[in-house]
């Protein structure tokens, strides 16, 4: 097997790449780079990715970093990937690229900011502040609102009015799934107003089941570590997203 | 002419798209969206780009936003664009995509942060702080260092060891050219240590001349507005970059 995929399932872009490979039957070897153990800083991993970031891939001698580039490369280079993941039509492909480009400075920036400044920062020894958390939440809320008003504005279950998911759906949904780490009240406050987003997460989960659930298990199990609560059935992604979809929790 | 390119030449990604079109002889109509006059917020422009950002294009009925997506789309959809700009070889293309993806959260984040927090923020009424400027400079310096040690580490005048420029060279170099707006002492402090970067800017300018100089005229002329200094021969990009390349100004 020549394709090696370097990931930590706690990382949202790592999960997107893993789910993509599994859904599309791409043969690969998953190599865990344990971020908590700082394995991403080891010289042997820096030889794969000089920036020390996951995900990364090595396809024979060819090394590639950045999850969006990895997803589009695998979609084009692998046998049997359905066209809807990354259409060969230039204009459809360009639209998907534009969502992915937009993601970097919007949903990702807000999402990473809020998770670092509330949950992960203190654990990882990264300086945090309530102001930075508030600023990140502003970017995040604006991004979720734009996903609803622009990217999900057309008919269709997926971004850009598509009837089937693309690599952009997978990337952005995995980003939002990271909010499972947030304090429950933060997650509910941020996500509950965005019913279209919640439905789209569910649609993406269903379209990529059972790999979506399997790959998210590590993240969901880690809630017990971060929030000192027992692992139970609430850690199924379907139940937590559905709970927000089915009722307006903020008014309870 | 069916391709409309919506830009403000004060915007670095706008300039990258304009230079790309001109260098490759792509027929287009340049439509100015004056950011200083807040034309990007007008409903007629929001119909082109709902986020109100430049650059955007309309190719007949097809609308596209995000400069990296625009550059890759135009490279693929236009006649006569040399392969080196966005190679059809999957692995070469993926590498260029990875530089562009990296750009968003590194060079762009640091670059926009420092320009906003020192020069543009006060003019545009955006809140700024010395702490935010210092934080941006840290991201920027780290990014410039990584460009030298990773993206420009191989032999070749351009990123990834290429002998001819790609859309990634154009995008990143236009980002750095925005620092012409900085206070002279800031620009010299930030850029002078990075001789490989300075040489690469010069190589990219030369490879895209005279369009590079022509498209940057607006930015360079605006220095007289921002810094209350007369317009003169120093506003040629070649002279200001060469000055830093040729001698170590910080030690004078």
């Amino acid at each position: 097997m020549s394709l090696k995929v370097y990931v930590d399932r706690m990382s949202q872009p790592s999960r997107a790449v893993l789910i993509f490979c599994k859904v599309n039957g791409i043969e690969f070897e998953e190599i865990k780079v344990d971020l908590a153990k700082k394995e991403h800083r080891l010289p042997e991993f820096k030889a794969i990715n000089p920036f020390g970031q996951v995900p990364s891939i090595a396809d024979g001698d060819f090394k590639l970093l950045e999850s969006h580039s990895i997803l589009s490369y695998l979609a084009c280079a692998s046998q049997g990937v359905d066209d809807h993941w990354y259409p060969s039509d230039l204009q459809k492909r360009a639209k998907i690229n534009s969502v992915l480009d937009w993601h970097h400075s919007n949903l990702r920036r807000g999402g990473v900011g809020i998770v670092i400044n509330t949950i992960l920062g203190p654990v990882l020894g990264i300086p945090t502040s309530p102001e930075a958390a508030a600023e990140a939440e502003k970017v995040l809320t604006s991004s979720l609102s734009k996903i609803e008003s622009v990217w999900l504005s057309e008919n269709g279950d997926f971004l850009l009015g598509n009837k089937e998911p693309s690599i952009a759906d997978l990337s952005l949904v995995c980003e939002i799934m990271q909010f499972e780490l947030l304090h429950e009240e933060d997650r509910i406050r941020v996500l509950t107003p965005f019913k279209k987003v919640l439905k789209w997460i569910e649609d993406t989960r269903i379209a990529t089941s059972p790999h979506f659930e399997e790959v998210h298990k590590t993240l969901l199990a880690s809630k017990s570590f971060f929030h000192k609560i027992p692992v139970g059935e609430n850690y199924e992604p379907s139940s937590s997203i559905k709970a927000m979809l089915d009722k307006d929790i903020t008014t309870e």
Side-chain angles (χ1 to χ4, degrees), chain A:
Chain A
M1 191 178 310
S2 74
L3 178 64
K4 294 184 197 313
V5 179
Y6 297 82
V7 289
D8 183 326
R9 291 186 179 206
M10 287 298 289
S11 121
Q12 57 275 42
S14 288
R15 293 195 298 275
V17 170
L18 283 179
I19 295 168
F20 180 80
C21 289
K22 285 170 181 261
V23 167
N24 288 290
I26 296 170
E27 268 196 70
F28 69 101
E29 181 186 350
E30 177 178 346
I31 298 173
K32 182 170 179 179
V33 181
D34 194 322
L35 299 177
K37 292 183 183 159
K38 305 199 191 313
E39 289 178 356
H40 56 301
R41 297 191 189 162
L42 294 175
E44 48 266 44
F45 183 60
K46 290 279 184 82
I48 303 298
N49 180 331
F51 302 131
Q53 291 175 324
V54 288
S56 277
I57 63 167
D59 190 6
D61 289 337
F62 175 68
K63 299 183 192 101
L64 189 63
L65 47 83
E66 287 289 339
S67 68
H68 295 170
S69 302
I70 292 170
L71 288 165
S72 62
Y73 169 74
L74 291 176
C76 295
S78 312
Q79 295 292 318
V81 176
D82 285 340
D83 192 67
H84 63 81
W85 286 107
Y86 194 59
S88 50
D89 176 90
L90 279 185
Q91 295 190 341
K92 287 182 184 166
R93 177 171 290 193
K95 286 279 196 182
I96 288 169
N97 287 339
S98 71
V99 177
L100 289 169
D101 279 328
W102 174 87
H103 180 197
H104 287 283
S105 303
N106 293 278
L107 180 64
R108 169 146 305 161
R109 198 176 127 227
V112 168
I114 195 168
V115 172
I116 291 283
N117 277 284
T118 59
I119 301 294
L120 287 186
V123 176
L124 300 175
I126 298 170
T128 64
S129 77
E131 294 74 27
E135 177 59 28
E137 184 168 331
K138 222 167 100 181
V139 174
L140 175 58
T141 305
S142 163
S143 300
L144 291 168
S145 171
K146 285 171 181 165
I147 289 175
E148 292 216 334
S149 65
V150 177
W151 301 126
L152 287 172
S153 67
E154 294 177 58
N155 284 334
D157 290 334
F158 300 100
L159 297 169
L160 301 162
N162 291 331
K163 291 190 171 57
E164 291 175 289
S166 74
I167 58 173
D169 294 278
L170 204 46
S171 178
L172 274 63
V173 163
C174 285
E175 191 75 45
I176 298 174
M177 284 303 295
Q178 197 75 350
F179 307 157
E180 292 285 334
L181 287 185
L182 294 178
H183 296 296
E184 198 62 9
E185 66 271 22
D186 290 343
R187 196 169 65 91
I188 289 171
R189 182 183 66 254
V190 166
L191 281 178
T192 306
F194 300 103
K195 301 295 186 195
K196 259 189 189 176
V197 166
L198 293 168
K199 180 178 177 305
W200 162 61
I201 295 170
E202 261 300 275
D203 289 336
T204 304
R205 178 188 70 77
I206 292 164
T208 57
S209 185
H211 307 291
F212 189 95
E213 293 87 336
E214 193 260 310
V215 171
H216 278 91
K217 265 188 187 158
T218 307
L219 174 79
L220 297 166
S222 76
K223 290 179 85 154
S224 64
F225 168 76
F226 287 108
H227 301 295
K228 315 268 187 298
I229 44 177
V231 177
E233 62 184 271
N234 278 331
Y235 298 105
E236 288 299 319
S238 57
S239 63
S240 78
I241 297 295
K242 271 187 191 151
M244 288 192 280
L245 246 182
D246 293 345
K247 46 186 178 175
D248 187 353
I249 294 174
T250 55
T251 63
E252 279 187 346

